[in-house]
Amino acid sequence: MYFNIAERLLNTTLSDNHKIVSDYAAEVQDQLNKQASISLKTQIPSLNQDRIDGLTNRISSEVSFKEIQWILGEPIINFTQNIINDFVNENADFQYKTGLKPKITRTLIGKACKWCQGLAGSYSYPDVPKDVYRRHERCRCMVDYIPGDGKRQNVWSKAWKSEEENGKIEARKQIGSNIFSNSTPAPFARAVEVAKSGLDKDIAWRVTAYEPEHYVGSKLHVSPGGSTVAISTTGDIISVCRADNDNVRGTDLLKLAVENGGTKLDSYAGNHLFYTKNGFEPISWCKWDDEYAPEGWNGKPENIIFYKYTGNSKAELKPDDFYKRISASSDYDEAEKIRNEAIGGKS
């Protein structure tokens, strides 16, 4: 690609991108400063022209655009993320110079990589690692910015919270206040994989992580801590996975799903106690079939039980008690049909 074409394309697009993101971040920062009783002017970081020039030079170095079109994907996303990183860094520096004592805390989520492990910890500004604000693809680490007045701000969610508040209570309030459908198929599929990777291998296989196309049309939710839950177009609750170290409980995810239209689900028998205690009544079941064993299966067969939500938490707490009362269906499809007919015939 010719240099002048690449320069016009990237300079205009990324400059506009910087302005849009910075304006939005400034508006949020102004509101948060007001809530935290901080009477300081929000700082706007300058455009990182060197980075734009680097992208321009890289694109113009190839004769064929097809050889370099990947740069318009993840590198552009990373450029946008760094606008926020620069914004946080500049405002932390400014508030430090005005007498506040900000701290930056990076907390690991799930099975973090060695790079993230090396960045985890609490730091008194300005003595922070240069990469503390950064995160790689699929990274779920949490970074909190604490100005030093008893309030803290999450670097990525921009949510203030008192240091003394109980983390679990705050997380449950936050998940309940979010718009439920806050993700799209591809990011949600990645979030499920990340959350699942933090589970013990003996239970992780019970979580089904579908390909993105399976989630098209579904309501998809990812909590601030990386936990996932989705509701299909037919009301099935799927991909329920609490991320390791998330303050949100599995019970919170189910409650949120029910409040947003979830009416039924099916799961392996190892999850039976969890679902019955959360108001899901077992209706039908089918026997385990090695042919359909999921990836990572621990080798111990578990039947599949189909539930409908009734709010009744006094159903059989042991799968064997349920099996004695209800005969097994011939296969998965029949068990699903029986359950669906029990809630009005919805497929």
Side-chain angles (χ1 to χ4, degrees):
M1 177 182 284
Y2 290 112
F3 178 84
N4 60 334
I5 296 176
E7 184 179 36
R8 287 200 303 271
L9 173 66
L10 291 182
N11 263 316
T12 300
T13 302
L14 296 184
S15 293
D16 289 344
N17 194 14
H18 178 271
K19 185 178 187 308
I20 292 171
V21 174
S22 294
D23 287 349
Y24 175 77
E27 184 177 343
V28 173
Q29 186 72 56
D30 286 340
Q31 291 295 321
L32 295 174
N33 282 352
K34 183 178 180 180
Q35 293 174 18
S37 299
I38 298 176
S39 301
L40 294 176
K41 182 179 179 180
T42 296
Q43 303 300 297
I44 306 296
S46 58
L47 176 67
N48 191 337
Q49 188 62 49
D50 288 342
R51 194 161 193 191
I52 296 178
D53 292 343
L55 291 171
T56 301
N57 290 331
R58 183 67 183 90
I59 287 181
S60 61
S61 67
E62 297 289 345
V63 176
S64 172
F65 176 71
K66 290 183 179 180
E67 298 295 326
I68 206 66
Q69 62 182 359
W70 60 270
I71 279 188
L72 299 182
E74 189 61 33
I76 300 301
I77 294 174
N78 190 265
F79 175 88
T80 304
Q81 290 176 325
N82 274 288
I83 297 173
I84 295 296
N85 295 342
D86 293 343
F87 190 94
V88 171
N89 188 19
E90 187 142 338
N91 279 275
D93 183 66
F94 177 71
Q95 294 191 3
Y96 167 76
K97 291 177 179 178
T98 62
L100 294 176
K101 299 178 180 179
K103 288 185 178 181
I104 303 295
T105 300
R106 182 168 180 135
T107 305
L108 299 176
I109 300 295
K111 294 183 178 179
C113 66
K114 290 184 178 180
W115 184 76
C116 288
Q117 291 175 11
L119 292 172
S122 183
Y123 309 94
S124 296
Y125 192 87
D127 298 322
V128 300
K130 65 177 182 178
D131 291 333
V132 73
Y133 306 108
R134 298 179 60 193
R135 55 174 173 172
H136 54 75
E137 185 179 0
R138 299 189 181 188
C139 177
R140 292 295 175 185
C141 294
M142 300 296 291
V143 178
D144 284 333
Y145 161 48
I146 311 170
D149 63 344
K151 300 284 184 177
R152 65 167 63 182
Q153 178 196 26
N154 183 277
V155 167
W156 294 311
S157 74
K158 299 289 186 182
W160 288 91
K161 52 190 176 182
S162 170
E163 283 192 81
E164 291 77 18
E165 286 177 329
N166 182 287
K168 292 184 178 180
I169 294 176
E170 181 63 21
R172 290 168 201 161
K173 287 167 59 180
Q174 190 172 13
I175 191 173
S177 63
N178 284 348
I179 297 175
F180 182 80
S181 300
N182 65 357
S183 189
T184 52
F188 182 81
R190 290 196 297 270
V192 177
E193 290 285 2
V194 171
K196 183 176 178 178
S197 70
L199 301 178
D200 186 280
K201 64 180 181 179
D202 283 337
I203 62 173
W205 65 271
R206 294 183 187 140
V207 177
T208 302
Y210 297 101
E211 293 297 320
E213 53 266 27
H214 185 90
Y215 296 115
V216 173
S218 298
K219 298 177 182 178
L220 311 173
H221 185 84
V222 181
S223 77
S227 297
T228 63
V229 63
I231 305 171
S232 74
T233 55
T234 56
D236 284 275
I237 300 172
I238 58 176
S239 298
V240 180
C241 189
R242 177 187 174 276
D244 188 30
N245 294 328
D246 191 1
N247 287 325
V248 170
R249 302 176 304 170
T251 294
D252 298 319
L253 295 173
L254 288 180
K255 181 179 179 182
L256 194 61
V258 170
E259 290 174 349
N260 284 274
T263 59
K264 55 186 176 176
L265 57 84
D266 60 83
S267 185
Y268 295 105
N271 292 327
H272 182 72
L273 179 61
F274 170 65
Y275 286 121
T276 54
K277 283 192 172 183
N278 281 283
F280 287 84
E281 182 180 345
I283 301 299
S284 56
W285 64 286
C286 64
K287 293 182 179 180
W288 172 269
D289 188 337
D290 284 351
E291 181 181 352
Y292 300 104
E295 183 179 355
W297 175 47
N298 64 2
K300 300 176 182 179
E302 291 187 12
N303 297 325
I304 301 175
I305 302 177
F306 292 74
Y307 305 82
K308 71 173 182 178
Y309 181 76
T310 62
N312 175 22
S313 60
K314 296 182 180 180
E316 292 96 342
L317 298 182
K318 295 181 179 180
D320 287 344
D321 294 335
F322 173 61
Y323 300 153
K324 292 176 182 178
R325 182 170 62 85
I326 300 294
S327 299
S329 299
S330 60
D331 56 24
Y332 182 97
D333 291 340
E334 183 187 27
E336 182 180 43
K337 180 180 179 182
I338 292 173
R339 188 275 315 277
N340 290 343
E341 289 176 347
I343 56 177
K346 295 182 179 179
S347 60

